[in-house]
Amino acid sequence: MTIFAIESSCDDTAAAVVEDGRKVLSSVVASQVFRHVEFGGVVPEIAGRMHCEAISGVVKEALAQARTDIRDVDAVAVTAYPGLIGSLLVGVNFAKGLALTAGKPLIPVHHLRGHIAANYISHPELEPPFLCLVVSGGHSHIVEVNDYTSMRIIGRTRDDAAGEAFDKTARTMGLPYPGGVHMDKLAEGGNPDAFSFPVPKVSGSPYDFSFSGLKTAVINTIHNMQQKGLALPREDMAASVRQSVVNILTDRFLLAANDFGHKKLVLAGGVSANSLLRRRMSELCADRGLALYYPDLSLCGDNAAMIGAQGYFEFLKGNTADMSLNARAERSIEL
Ligand code: KG4
Ligand code: ZN
């Protein structure tokens, strides 16, 4: 079964053709980051307008690269939630138009379920059940993936998402948006023990995260150094922040894996590209005899191939929509 997929939830306009949920026939991503970088973050109105300008070109390119036509695919999948509403609406409406004119089923896909499904592409043998750490710019969850379309949230962030924690601290250090990837590169040359930051305890749930204390501590440290006229050792700061974020994530994730008896662990979302998170999790899982999966780097960030992959499993479950489908800025991954 061949699915044509569209993703436009944030600042990437993307389209892809995916076969049977695992094989990518084409994947095109048009990033808008060059427009948002001057503002230090995504400007929602600009994002919506840029999707509007880019989407037909991206769709045509994805069909051309897969050497197919919209009439020859079996269904149209689209990210319908969660995300920036003005961005989502562009993709959803375009997908509805395609499905209507070509007479194809329409499949709404949850963006974070898509991030998880990136792993089905990178690891054709991977099947649920497993425990997944979903870490993106807007969300941080520990999710029990019982089946392709059945999920339960075990832990979540109480404040900022992991990607947001990276982006906000990176901004304080003067790094360009999106800061996570720049921080990761800078950190490779630094001493992770140069600065120590508080490790938050979240009362009530041992599996929840909190990053706001870390963010405040980093901002205060940098301001104190500035006031004293001290030069900021940027590589050391980046390495220390990265280590703190990764420690918080790995501690909670492994605790949940142990307590809920999961032996198969999966990373997903933009932050799963983080080199220390990948390295640390690989070491920790090897020590504990746990299986670990994470997506190819090219599939960690937002793309439509992952939406086509998840769309296939949603379709098999009968999760299609009619022409009344609307986008939603918020929706739980549990659906
Ligand atoms: O999943 P994603 O592409 O978009 C959302 O759904 O939010 O995630 C974007 C986030 C950004 O916060 C970005 O800084 C972060 O992923 N990110 C990274 C790395 N690459 C992207 N964070 C840490 N290390 C990286 N290598
Ligand atoms: Zn994403």
Side-chain angles (χ1 to χ4, degrees):
M1 175 178 186
T2 308
I3 292 187
F4 181 74
I6 291 178
E7 152 66 39
S8 72
S9 65
C10 189
D11 60 346
D12 292 296
T13 318
V17 181
V18 181
E19 205 174 81
D20 297 335
R22 306 259 181 187
K23 189 171 172 213
V24 181
L25 302 185
S26 71
S27 178
V28 176
V29 181
S31 170
Q32 309 174 353
V33 82
F34 69 98
R35 277 298 302 279
H36 300 291
V37 78
E38 61 185 291
F39 302 100
V42 178
V43 182
E45 175 157 345
I46 294 177
R49 289 174 186 279
M50 288 190 75
H51 284 304
C52 208
E53 288 168 15
I55 196 158
S56 54
V58 169
V59 163
K60 274 189 202 156
E61 184 63 27
L63 289 168
Q65 282 187 18
R67 297 178 195 282
T68 189
D69 187 278
I70 196 68
R71 284 172 294 228
D72 297 328
V73 304
D74 297 302
V76 176
V78 63
T79 306
Y81 25 67
L84 299 173
I85 195 67
S87 291
L88 288 165
L89 283 169
V90 176
V92 167
N93 223 22
F94 206 95
K96 284 168 74 170
L98 286 176
L100 182 68
T101 48
K104 306 293 176 186
L106 178 65
I107 311 164
V109 175
H110 191 288
H111 180 76
L112 297 179
R113 288 186 172 202
H115 273 301
I116 295 172
N119 284 284
Y120 303 139
I121 299 169
S122 294
H123 308 285
E125 76 286 8
L126 176 65
E127 290 177 350
F130 53 78
L131 193 69
C132 187
L133 178 70
V134 190
V135 272
S136 72
H139 298 84
S140 299
H141 289 334
I142 295 173
V143 183
E144 218 167 23
V145 180
N146 298 314
D147 201 347
Y148 293 99
T149 58
S150 162
M151 327 213 162
R152 184 164 73 105
I153 298 175
I154 304 283
R156 64 176 80 227
T157 181
R158 293 291 179 94
D159 37 59
D160 292 341
E164 236 177 321
F166 276 124
D167 295 344
K168 286 180 177 171
T169 48
R171 193 175 171 169
T172 319
M173 292 170 60
L175 297 175
Y177 176 82
V181 64
H182 300 288
M183 172 98 76
D184 195 11
K185 284 197 188 116
L186 200 58
E188 287 296 307
N191 171 11
D193 300 316
F195 297 91
S196 61
F197 300 114
V199 177
K201 287 262 179 302
V202 182
S203 64
S205 172
Y207 318 115
D208 281 359
F209 312 110
S210 168
F211 294 105
S212 64
L214 171 69
K215 183 183 67 191
T216 311
V218 171
I219 291 171
N220 287 343
T221 306
I222 293 174
H223 285 171
N224 277 340
M225 293 186 74
Q226 281 168 345
Q227 276 166 1
K228 289 179 188 154
L230 298 171
L232 178 71
R234 283 157 48 96
E235 294 186 343
D236 289 351
M237 177 57 85
S240 303
V241 172
R242 183 177 69 165
Q243 176 167 269
S244 295
V245 173
V246 167
N247 281 348
I248 294 170
L249 293 173
T250 51
D251 281 0
R252 308 289 159 35
F253 190 32
L254 288 171
L255 180 68
N258 183 62
D259 291 358
F260 291 86
H262 284 279
K263 301 237 170 287
K264 210 193 287 182
L265 305 191
V266 174
L267 307 178
V271 180
S272 68
N274 188 267
S275 39
L276 182 65
L277 180 63
R278 292 160 89 98
R279 274 203 306 271
R280 232 14 234 129
M281 279 303 298
S282 301
E283 290 161 8
L284 292 166
C285 287
D287 288 349
R288 290 164 173 74
L290 304 170
L292 176 70
Y293 301 83
Y294 45 72
D296 290 342
L297 275 180
S298 63
L299 290 167
C300 288
D302 290 346
N303 65 85
M306 68 187 197
I307 302 303
Q310 182 62 22
Y312 171 72
F313 297 106
E314 299 289 351
F315 182 83
L316 294 184
K317 265 280 168 192
N319 297 337
T320 56
D322 61 22
M323 283 296 139
S324 66
L325 176 67
N326 209 337
R328 282 170 58 173
E330 301 283 345
R331 187 151 192 196
S332 168
I333 194 170
E334 294 175 350
L335 290 180

